[in-house]
Amino acid sequence: MKRHFALLGVLLAISPAHAEINLPLLFTDGAVVQRDRPLPVWGWATPGARIEVGFDGAQATTVAGGDGAWRIELPAHAAGGPYVLTVREGKDEVVTVRDVLIGDVWLASGQSNMEWPVAQAQGAEQLIASAHDAGIRHFKVPKSWSGEPEARLAGGEWRTASPQTVAEFSAVAYSFARELRARDRDVPIGIIDSTWGGSRIEAWMDAESLGVEPAAMAAKMHEVRAAEDRALAEARARLARWPANPDDASWKDVDLDDGDWDTIPVPGLWEAAGYKMDGVAWYRTSFELSAAEAAKGVTLGLGMIDDSDDTWVNGIRVGGLSNRWDAPREYRVGPEALRAGTNHIAVRVTDTGGGGGIHDTHSDSDRHAESDLPYVQPLGGSRRALPGQWKFRPAAVTVVVDDDKNQIETLLFNRMIHPLQPYPLGGFLWYQGEANANTVAEAHRYRDQFASLIRGWRADWAQPDLPFLWVQLASFRSGADTASESPWSVLRESQSATLGLPGTAQVVTIDIGDPDDIHPRNKQEVGRRMALAARHVAYGESLVYSGPVYRAVQFDGRNARIAFDTQGSTLAVRGGGQSVQGFEVAGDDRSFHPAQATIEGDGVVVSSEAVAQPKAVRYAWRDNPEDADLANREGLPASPFRTDDWQ
């Protein structure tokens, strides 16, 4: 309902009273439209009405169809602005869209690493303070879904980069835009941010690209809606016993009677326990200490909390983080908050969307070690696990059932991509794959899915070579790889395989990942590297835009020589020297062993004392290849690869 009111508010803001003309939300004040390409303008009006469109001296007319839909096309226009777009029905009804810039428009999509906001990225304070560029504008598509392609967005508005707005922009896309603006200040950059954390690639693909029959999709949507109805009924029944918006200030107190509270497994998202809701809820439990332990203090570890928390021990606040759903909580609790015997923990959790609660995994399907799970550790002592069942009570919450829709085929495409067509674009930015890297089998399937998505989106915009740039998965200790299998490596390989399509480029980020966080904070460097790729693919510049790429291998006795495409650069080792880390070799037994590797000219010579006759070489073939250090002289890392096809 809130979304519907927001959409109505936007339409009223751009239309006079009783106007029949409606435009897509992309055509609102502050818009950026694509330069040097014909500009389609479309919308809805009174059936059969004559529609006149004007833009910087260009005029076009058409007649609305029987369903009220209409579309015209204006001539291509060079970069510049601001301009005014007018759409008139008859003599009196007119919609005016002001402050329109003409530049390059990039659609940024994927999961949470693309969604990740400037406010939570490395260097956020400086980025926000320096955001004084009216030539960068950002349109955030709200998270929404549909079982069939929709013509209209659920909401969204154009926002100009400023210290008041940029904190919520996609950090990768904003950094990309800054780099392009530094290259050419005469070309405005518009970013359409259509992202959903934890989403699988299938959710961003249309039915045709997935090979899904309409009847099968209709049957699945019937099941989805039935499951949603059941989940809503269950959630409402669970919440019916609790008054809405109670005074919860005393729920941290030691002597609170929580005997009638529910119990919930901890760790675990509360949605998994049947609480399909966003908002505020409380957790309570206790632990025991000796007098000596209480006198020294403890560390309280709560795992991760989605999204924000305030934590008390014996009624004394000991910690809390805001909007850090991906960060394990570890709070030092001093003797002043402790007592011999029973000690009481109270945690107030605020969830603003997606999963909620005290949990042990990110919502992007990654994994964390047991050391991050809820525990108490006396100073100088060992960790003790906290109870697996806690007292639990919702406070101020709203029932929601959208949390799993980012996993289901076509649902995000239908509502978050399809309505954007045919708004002209300069290209696509993509950062997704973590949610499809759970097993080797699904990571291998990704190569066909990804190629199909690229072809499908390009076909939707009727531009078969429209630039498509993506970020390869960064280093991360996922917990899914073994000595013989690495799902993240196979996913990276699937991404690299898609470089065979024209107009594509890949940004390698294994050197700036975080082994313990699926969301590395250095988004500025990711954006910079994407801009390098764009300068080559989209703008035709001759420059070194990626690190070394594997080209061929030659086996000679105990040695293997690897040749690379260096784009005219030279091979280098991050940190200096000629000895390279991250290589492995295997013989006929297919058992890989760490290898010695040295740069020789434009190649790398690899060998291992454990392998008399190498038959295969792998580089950076781990979910978390943090030791891999091959790069070029510009500091761009080499892409992971393997010479075999044994899996």
Side-chain angles (χ1 to χ4, degrees):
M1 184 63 71
K2 289 181 179 178
R3 290 182 184 137
H4 295 160
F5 282 131
L7 175 58
L8 178 60
V10 171
L11 293 176
L12 289 175
I14 65 170
S15 306
H18 310 301
E20 296 294 336
I21 303 171
N22 286 330
L23 296 179
L25 293 176
L26 290 166
F27 290 108
T28 50
D29 290 353
V32 181
V33 297
Q34 181 62 40
R35 62 173 170 153
D36 301 332
R37 295 204 184 121
L39 174 61
V41 181
W42 72 97
W44 303 268
T46 304
R50 176 183 170 85
I51 305 298
E52 299 179 5
V53 179
F55 184 73
D56 190 33
Q59 300 286 332
T61 62
T62 189
V63 175
D67 59 356
W70 56 268
R71 174 178 167 176
I72 60 90
E73 189 171 275
L74 296 172
H77 197 300
Y83 300 105
V84 174
L85 172 71
T86 60
V87 181
R88 184 181 300 275
E89 176 184 334
K91 295 182 178 180
D92 301 321
E93 307 294 352
V94 62
V95 171
T96 301
V97 183
R98 298 176 174 83
D99 190 26
V100 178
L101 300 183
I102 301 177
D104 288 335
V105 181
W106 291 83
L107 172 55
S109 190
Q111 56 186 110
S112 56
N113 269 309
M114 183 63 84
E115 182 182 18
W116 201 258
V118 169
Q120 296 180 41
Q122 179 179 306
E125 184 175 346
Q126 189 276 332
L127 283 171
I128 293 170
S130 63
H132 297 283
D133 187 353
I136 298 178
R137 300 185 179 184
H138 184 273
F139 186 102
K140 175 63 175 173
V141 176
K143 294 177 182 178
S144 45
W145 62 275
S146 174
E148 56 188 29
E150 300 286 348
R152 309 192 194 203
L153 293 170
E157 63 180 340
W158 286 99
R159 306 185 75 186
T160 298
S162 73
Q164 292 73 42
T165 62
V166 79
E168 298 177 4
F169 288 15
S170 161
V172 167
Y174 176 63
S175 297
F176 169 84
R178 277 168 46 100
E179 293 289 333
L180 293 187
R181 288 285 290 164
R183 168 186 172 272
D184 189 343
R185 300 293 295 181
D186 293 329
V187 180
I189 301 295
I191 298 294
I192 301 174
D193 174 359
S194 186
T195 52
W196 190 325
S199 55
R200 292 178 62 88
I201 191 173
E202 297 91 332
W204 295 105
M205 300 172 68
D206 65 15
E208 181 178 356
S209 297
L210 286 163
V212 178
E213 294 294 332
M217 196 65 216
K220 181 159 189 172
M221 286 313 304
H222 178 76
E223 295 175 2
V224 167
R225 293 189 178 98
E228 182 178 79
D229 290 342
R230 291 192 298 270
L232 277 170
E234 180 183 355
R236 287 169 177 154
R238 284 181 176 272
L239 297 174
R241 59 187 295 237
W242 306 117
N245 302 312
D247 180 2
D248 61 351
S250 66
W251 293 7
K252 68 182 184 301
D253 296 346
V254 172
D255 58 357
L256 178 78
D257 181 4
D258 57 16
D260 64 342
W261 285 30
D262 290 343
T263 59
I264 193 170
V266 174
L269 295 172
W270 63 44
E271 286 84 358
Y275 296 92
K276 304 292 186 181
M277 63 189 195
D278 294 335
V280 177
W282 285 74
Y283 292 76
R284 288 173 61 91
T285 193
S286 61
F287 60 93
E288 301 292 322
L289 292 177
S290 69
E293 291 170 334
K296 292 180 180 179
V298 303
T299 296
L300 178 64
L302 296 177
M304 287 173 285
I305 296 179
D306 194 338
D307 296 288
S308 306
D309 74 294
D310 290 284
T311 299
W312 292 265
V313 173
N314 295 323
I316 298 175
R317 191 177 187 277
V318 297
L321 292 176
S322 178
N323 294 317
R324 288 299 311 276
W325 54 271
D326 62 322
R329 270 60 166 181
E330 290 187 332
Y331 300 138
R332 180 76 173 87
V333 185
E336 69 279 0
L338 301 171
R339 61 183 66 175
T342 302
N343 292 262
H344 298 271
I345 302 172
V347 185
R348 187 180 193 268
V349 176
T350 302
D351 171 43
T352 59
I358 302 173
H359 65 112
D360 62 346
T361 62
H362 295 300
S363 59
D364 269 305
S365 302
D366 59 339
R367 303 160 180 84
H368 264 258
E370 288 187 5
S371 60
D372 290 335
L373 306 185
Y375 67 86
V376 62
Q377 182 175 17
L379 184 65
S382 59
R383 292 183 175 184
R384 305 171 190 165
L386 290 171
Q389 295 284 331
W390 292 39
K391 289 290 188 177
F392 179 77
R393 179 173 174 178
V397 297
T398 302
V399 175
V400 293
V401 290
D402 285 350
D403 296 330
D404 64 343
K405 302 304 184 294
N406 59 0
Q407 307 295 300
I408 301 174
E409 305 98 297
T410 77
L411 296 195
L412 306 192
F413 172 86
N414 289 340
R415 193 65 162 142
M416 299 177 68
I417 299 297
H418 187 268
L420 303 175
Q421 305 163 22
Y423 202 77
L425 301 175
F428 302 102
L429 308 177
W430 179 256
Y431 195 161
Q432 191 276 337
E434 298 91 341
N436 288 82
N438 297 301
T439 67
V440 166
E442 70 175 13
H444 193 272
R445 284 196 300 272
Y446 191 89
R447 68 187 59 200
D448 291 332
Q449 294 173 323
F450 191 27
S452 293
L453 179 142
I454 294 173
R455 293 189 185 101
W457 285 18
R458 285 172 162 176
D460 290 333
W461 268 270
Q463 290 186 255
D465 296 329
L466 195 59
F468 200 110
L469 319 176
W470 65 85
V471 182
Q472 190 188 70
L473 295 190
S475 298
F476 177 62
R477 191 181 295 116
S478 73
D481 59 345
T482 66
S484 60
E485 291 189 344
S486 171
W488 281 50
S489 294
V490 176
L491 196 292
R492 294 186 190 108
E493 182 181 61
S494 292
Q495 293 174 310
S496 297
T498 315
L499 289 169
L501 295 177
T504 58
Q506 173 175 261
V507 172
V508 179
T509 60
I510 59 170
D511 60 324
I512 52 175
D514 185 333
D516 299 314
D517 193 341
I518 202 169
H519 303 110
R521 297 301 195 269
N522 189 358
K523 304 303 188 189
Q524 288 194 64
E525 179 61 15
V526 179
R528 186 186 77 84
R529 294 178 186 180
M530 290 199 94
L532 286 175
R535 288 171 61 186
H536 173 74
V537 173
Y539 301 111
E541 293 187 41
S542 178
L543 78 167
V544 177
Y545 66 94
S546 81
V549 176
Y550 165 72
R551 187 174 73 244
V553 60
Q554 181 179 356
F555 296 105
D556 181 14
R558 302 188 70 93
N559 295 328
R561 182 178 179 85
I562 309 296
F564 293 90
D565 177 4
T566 62
Q567 300 176 22
S569 184
T570 58
L571 298 178
V573 176
R574 192 170 65 250
Q578 298 295 304
S579 180
V580 185
Q581 304 299 311
F583 280 91
E584 299 174 292
V585 296
D588 286 328
D589 63 357
R590 299 189 176 187
S591 178
F592 282 88
H593 300 270
Q596 294 75 49
T598 305
I599 294 174
E600 292 188 6
D602 60 354
V604 175
V605 176
V606 185
S607 65
S608 171
E609 294 183 0
V611 181
Q613 287 190 309
K615 299 296 183 181
V617 179
R618 293 181 177 182
Y619 172 71
W621 202 259
R622 291 284 184 271
D623 288 10
N624 178 42
E626 57 185 339
D627 62 332
D629 56 8
L630 182 63
N632 59 18
R633 67 174 172 233
E634 288 78 14
L636 297 174
S639 180
F641 68 90
R642 60 177 172 173
T643 66
D644 63 277
D645 59 358
W646 293 343
Q647 292 178 7

